[in-house]
Amino acid sequence: MVSTRHVPVGEREVAAEADLYPEPFFHHEPVPEELRSTYGEHAFITTTSDDLDKWALTADSLYLAVQSRPGEVTSDELWRLTGEIFSRVDNAG
């Protein structure tokens, strides 16, 4: 699932997401520091795993969620896919 966003992610949104989707069922972490200039200072990822792994990025201009079978998609593949989608959305915008 991909949707565009038009409001930068802020600290309140990060806290609200953590309240709505609590640990240990969901894991929240900031986007790696080297990617924050691209996705936003407060951009974050949320992960969960049960029958399917779910990885979601909430960024300043994009929300992206990917579901896959456990262990089927690596973190590197998720970030590569995210970069491709971000580039296409950015160029279309």
Side-chain angles (χ1 to χ4, degrees), residues 20-53:
L20 189 60
Y21 301 104
E23 300 267 359
F25 305 105
F26 294 85
H27 176 69
H28 308 276
E29 64 185 77
V31 165
E33 192 169 335
E34 66 273 10
L35 298 175
R36 291 181 193 161
S37 63
T38 301
Y39 299 112
E41 185 61 32
H42 297 288
F44 62 94
I45 58 173
T46 304
T47 55
T48 187
S49 186
D50 46 32
D51 293 339
L52 293 174
D53 285 346

Side-chain angles (χ1 to χ4, degrees), residues 10-22:
E11 290 179 20
R12 287 185 194 167
E13 189 167 7
V14 174
E17 183 85 3
D19 286 344
L20 189 60
Y21 301 104

Side-chain angles (χ1 to χ4, degrees), residues 1 13-14 16-17 25 30 33 37 41 49-51 53 58 63-65 69 73 75 77-78 81 83-84 86 89 93:
M1 177 176 130
E13 189 167 7
V14 174
E17 183 85 3
F25 305 105
E33 192 169 335
S37 63
E41 185 61 32
S49 186
D50 46 32
D51 293 339
D53 285 346
T58 303
Y63 173 81
L64 170 68
R69 287 183 229 133
V73 181
S75 179
E77 289 173 308
L78 288 167
L81 175 64
E84 289 177 15
F86 182 81
V89 168

